[in-house]
Amino acid sequence: MKILITGNLGYVGAIVERCLRKAHPDSIIIGYDSAFFALSTTGAEVLPERLLNAQYFGDVREFPDAMLEGVDAVIHLAAVSNDPMGNRFESVTEDINYRASVELGRKASKAGVSHFVFASSCSVYGFAPGAARTETDELNPQTAYARSKVNTEKGLSEIADNKMIVTCLRFATACGMSDRLRLDLVLNDFVACARATGEISVLSDGSPWRPLIDVRDMARAIDWGISRNADDSARFLALNVGSNDRNYQVKDLANAVAEAIPGTKLSINRAAQPDGRSYQVDFSLFRSLAKDHQPRVTLLQSIYMLDEGLRGMGFADPDFRNSSYIRLKVLDAHIEAGRLTPDLRWSTQASADF
Ligand SMILES: NC(=O)c1ccc[n+]([C@@H]2O[C@H](COP(=O)([O-])OP(=O)(O)OC[C@H]3O[C@@H](n4cnc5c(N)ncnc54)[C@H](O)[C@@H]3O)[C@@H](O)[C@H]2O)c1
């Protein structure tokens, strides 16, 4: 099997590479990424991409057809990958996350790819009070990022044909340790706060609901997506990926971290405005279809692995929210230095001092 992973130099990609190399030792795995965060590795002794057969650098907005030659499965992770970046780069988010993604799907189908897996998000449910949302419930995206995921799912459903099996995995919020760790995710942020300052201060009132999934479990779900048989379900699927027992309120997550890391103080801003993003999600469909690829990592295991990883890195930066572990900060620094253009393309100008 030949597998192409776009956006593989990211937080999730680093773990997907490990999972797939283990599950498919003889396959050819290649990566394609614009490398926005390529230097943001954490505690890795060698590049995580050593497990690949080849790494290519490029932009999915100019995706070369030749890259798809002989490819059986595409895992499409490349994206402007969270709300703060989506808000700051709204039209670029639409171009990269939506237009380029649907175009890649079209090219993949034409090239004879058999499985196309798209990394969607439960944020498509946006503000969804009340019962846990299922795949047939109405979507209510609140941000440019979430809208881009909704539009891409729709675009991919329209190009789905008899040739390619398309799976849109609506992931719960990611958490957990990775060789390319990011700290702009709720659980990761809490563990980093506890480790660096001994204190977690929840900026919201803590009431929003967030389903969580560890990156290792995301990787297992992706492995299911590239191998699934369409006979027992549909050729096109958009489904929630996580587990019913991992819907948490933000304050529960903060409490769990404070209890797991002794000595951590916790403050919750009870006067804060409620967050516009809150949803519980029903993962029963994923449970029934992907029996052998269900989430296994518990909340406590995610916390302990993060804590161990951070301690192993000697992490102690109380100002980490302004550091290279925060994706928006990395992009802003590249733009300020003239390395990236405002529409997130690398500048090929040599520096003046050469
Ligand atoms: N982390 C989460 O909570 C979460 C949850 C649900 C879904 N997802 C989705 O999973 C995917 C991977 O997320 P992640 O956390 O690893 O994100 P990440 O930001 O760490 O990695 C994304 C990668 O995509 C690359 N990329 C961005 N624009 C590109 C372009 N134009 N051309 C080529 N490469 C480009 C970046 O360089 C980066 O390496 C994303 O699609 C994201 O939306 C993430």
Side-chain angles (χ1 to χ4, degrees):
M1 175 155 58
K2 185 172 178 185
I3 305 165
L4 164 70
I5 313 171
T6 72
N8 68 297
L9 296 172
Y11 170 63
V12 177
I15 300 295
V16 170
E17 289 163 6
R18 277 204 225 165
C19 170
L20 294 186
R21 183 47 81 206
K22 188 158 183 212
H24 310 277
D26 301 324
S27 58
I28 296 172
I29 309 177
I30 59 177
Y32 182 87
D33 196 301
S34 58
F36 292 152
F37 316 105
L39 297 183
S40 310
T41 54
T42 40
E45 283 167 11
V46 291
L47 283 178
E49 293 68 45
R50 78 180 172 83
L51 295 172
L52 301 182
N53 296 86
Q55 175 70 52
Y56 297 94
F57 295 99
D59 193 311
V60 288
R61 287 169 288 184
E62 282 104 41
F63 190 84
D65 294 5
M67 192 71 54
L68 289 164
E69 226 165 80
V71 169
D72 302 291
V74 171
I75 297 164
H76 183 40
L77 304 177
V80 174
S81 57
N82 66 19
D83 287 335
M85 288 189 288
N87 294 342
R88 169 102 158 70
F89 302 102
E90 206 165 323
S91 71
V92 182
T93 297
E94 196 175 314
D95 282 347
I96 295 176
N97 292 18
Y98 163 51
R99 292 204 179 83
S101 297
V102 177
E103 186 54 25
L104 177 64
R106 225 176 255 126
K107 286 182 178 186
S109 171
K110 198 165 153 213
V113 168
S114 68
H115 288 74
F116 188 92
V117 173
F118 169 60
S120 188
S121 161
C122 283
S123 66
V124 296
Y125 298 111
F127 185 67
R133 292 309 195 256
T134 70
E135 289 78 358
T136 51
D137 285 323
E138 205 181 322
L139 305 182
N140 187 16
Q142 301 288 306
T143 61
Y145 170 74
R147 280 190 296 277
S148 76
K149 297 292 184 188
V150 172
N151 291 336
T152 305
E153 286 187 4
K154 186 162 179 289
L156 290 173
S157 75
E158 285 163 2
I159 61 159
D161 53 25
N162 284 336
K163 289 188 273 174
M164 191 165 76
I165 294 176
V166 178
T167 313
C168 302
L169 302 172
R170 289 181 185 163
F171 287 117
T173 298
C175 65
M177 192 59 202
S178 163
D179 290 332
R180 294 186 174 281
L181 181 64
R182 315 296 186 218
L183 295 180
D184 45 18
L185 294 153
V186 60
L187 188 76
N188 299 8
D189 173 88
F190 288 164
V191 176
C193 281
R195 197 34 70 199
T197 67
E199 187 166 358
I200 299 172
S201 104
V202 182
L203 302 175
S204 74
D205 69 351
S207 65
W209 286 92
R210 280 284 186 297
L212 280 199
I213 184 167
D214 192 277
V215 277
R216 281 150 196 78
D217 290 328
M218 291 173 85
R220 269 190 275 281
I222 286 169
D223 186 27
W224 170 74
I226 62 167
S227 350
R228 82 175 175 94
N229 184 337
D231 293 350
D232 53 7
S233 55
R235 294 188 79 76
F236 174 86
L237 264 184
L239 83 171
N240 303 331
V241 176
S243 58
N244 289 340
D245 59 355
R246 289 197 71 179
N247 280 295
Y248 299 102
Q249 282 183 288
V250 168
K251 59 187 172 197
D252 298 333
L253 297 175
N255 270 312
V257 174
E259 272 173 31
I261 302 179
T264 304
K265 281 193 269 171
L266 172 61
S267 67
I268 294 179
N269 183 1
R270 296 187 198 280
Q273 290 292 317
D275 198 321
R277 227 184 96 183
S278 179
Y279 42 83
Q280 291 187 71
V281 177
D282 186 308
F283 298 99
S284 307
L285 180 61
F286 179 59
R287 189 174 188 81
S288 69
L289 292 179
K291 289 190 185 66
D292 298 332
H293 292 77
Q294 286 301 297
R296 292 186 207 151
V297 183
T298 65
L299 176 61
L300 215 51
Q301 284 170 334
S302 297
I303 294 171
Y304 284 143
M305 281 191 275
L306 276 166
D307 190 36
E308 199 183 318
L310 288 173
R311 279 186 289 130
M313 291 155 52
F315 177 83
D317 179 7
D319 193 31
F320 72 86
R321 285 181 181 155
N322 286 310
S323 75
S324 62
Y325 300 122
I326 308 296
R327 285 167 277 203
L328 181 54
K329 298 284 171 192
V330 176
L331 294 183
D332 278 342
H334 283 321
I335 291 172
E336 204 171 306
R339 294 185 290 260
L340 266 185
T341 60
D343 69 345
L344 302 185
R345 291 177 202 274
W346 289 112
S347 160
T348 48
Q349 304 279 311
S351 61
D353 59 350
F354 181 74

